[in-house]
Amino acid sequence: PGTSDPDKVPDQADFYIVCVPDGSVHGVLSKFKGREGTWLHTAGAVDIGVFEDMFSKFGVLYPLQSLSRTREVDLEQTPFLLEGSSEEVSVSIFSLVGIFSKNLHKVDSPSRKLIHLAAVFANNFTNHMVHVGQQILNEQELDPKLLDPILKETFRKIQALGAREAQTGPALRDDRETMRKHAELLMQHPEWEKLYTFISRDIRRVRDK
């Protein structure tokens, strides 16, 4: 069973999985320094070295998925990026995670950090851009659900073609008149105008490579 109370963590267990924000991993682990068992964290950007001098067996169990309390995800299809302090520990982690997922990958800390960075762009930044689009419509009392069909088609195209081939829009066409009009509409939101300008510029840079 899981707990958020350090005093309720059992003294003996085969595995201890620390599921806390990246910046809290070291502080939580330090409370249990020297405890037996295999200790794992689930943070995408925290090096396996955070465990050194604390435990004899340790590793990383990172699910490459957007997780929230209010939504269920298909763990069987979720990629798990796994790393162990030894081959023996790695085998034990693969056996543990293999109970609920077959999408397992042995990934070291430097590679996992790069994958985590890519996921931030693909997931977190994409989500924020959709939020901006929804806010633009909400401010004019337009229905943000108007965006739903284009969002679904966008991700279908990305999966089918790859993101570069799926790219469309005024920046790709170098339609400067349309981009100028959009920038004018964003005058009341200078940060969004900066995002629009910078991302449009980068789309053109990728197009011209």
Side-chain angles (χ1 to χ4, degrees):
T3 180
S4 58
D5 184 349
D7 294 331
K8 293 183 180 180
V9 175
D11 292 331
Q12 294 184 335
D14 293 332
F15 290 94
Y16 295 91
I17 304 176
V18 178
C19 305
V20 296
D22 292 21
S24 302
V25 172
H26 185 272
V28 171
L29 292 174
S30 64
K31 299 178 185 295
F32 303 99
K33 184 176 180 179
R35 185 78 63 90
E36 294 297 319
T38 299
W39 287 78
L40 308 173
H41 75 63
T42 60
V46 178
D47 195 278
I48 193 173
V50 72
F51 292 102
E52 288 183 2
D53 302 322
M54 289 193 191
F55 310 99
S56 59
K57 295 190 293 184
F58 52 87
V60 180
L61 188 168
Y62 172 58
L64 186 60
Q65 183 57 274
S66 177
L67 303 174
S68 58
R69 295 179 183 274
T70 57
R71 292 188 62 83
E72 292 186 8
V73 299
D74 185 355
L75 292 179
E76 188 171 347
Q77 300 300 319
T78 296
F80 282 86
L81 312 186
L82 310 177
E83 183 179 11
S85 56
S86 68
E87 185 61 28
E88 177 187 359
V89 172
S90 293
V91 169
S92 69
I93 299 172
F94 269 76
S95 297
L96 172 68
V97 183
I99 295 171
F100 50 85
S101 178
K102 304 303 178 187
N103 196 351
L104 312 180
H105 305 267
K106 189 174 184 179
V107 178
D108 62 19
S109 289
S111 297
R112 187 179 69 256
K113 290 177 185 178
L114 286 172
I115 295 169
H116 184 259
L117 170 62
V120 168
F121 270 92
N123 176 50
N124 304 136
F125 289 176
T126 297
N127 187 81
H128 181 68
M129 293 301 171
V130 174
H131 166 71
V132 171
Q134 291 176 341
Q135 287 299 106
I136 289 170
L137 297 183
N138 278 327
E139 288 181 1
Q140 300 301 318
E141 298 184 351
L142 298 169
D143 186 359
K145 289 190 176 297
L146 287 168
L147 298 174
D148 288 356
I150 197 171
L151 287 173
K152 292 177 182 177
E153 177 60 14
T154 295
F155 283 97
R156 282 195 292 263
K157 285 172 62 178
I158 289 171
Q159 290 180 315
L161 304 176
R164 180 167 182 163
E165 294 301 318
Q167 185 69 58
T168 62
L172 186 74
R173 300 189 300 270
D174 199 24
D175 183 349
R176 299 187 183 189
E177 179 62 18
T178 295
M179 289 189 285
R180 183 189 63 77
K181 292 175 181 177
H182 287 170
E184 289 178 354
L185 290 170
L186 290 170
M187 289 180 62
Q188 300 302 314
H189 295 285
E191 294 303 315
W192 293 352
E193 192 274 334
K194 290 177 185 176
L195 281 175
Y196 182 96
T197 300
F198 189 83
I199 293 170
S200 295
R201 185 183 304 138
D202 203 51
I203 289 171
R204 294 198 302 274
R205 179 190 64 82
V206 171
R207 178 203 63 182
D208 294 337
K209 285 179 65 174

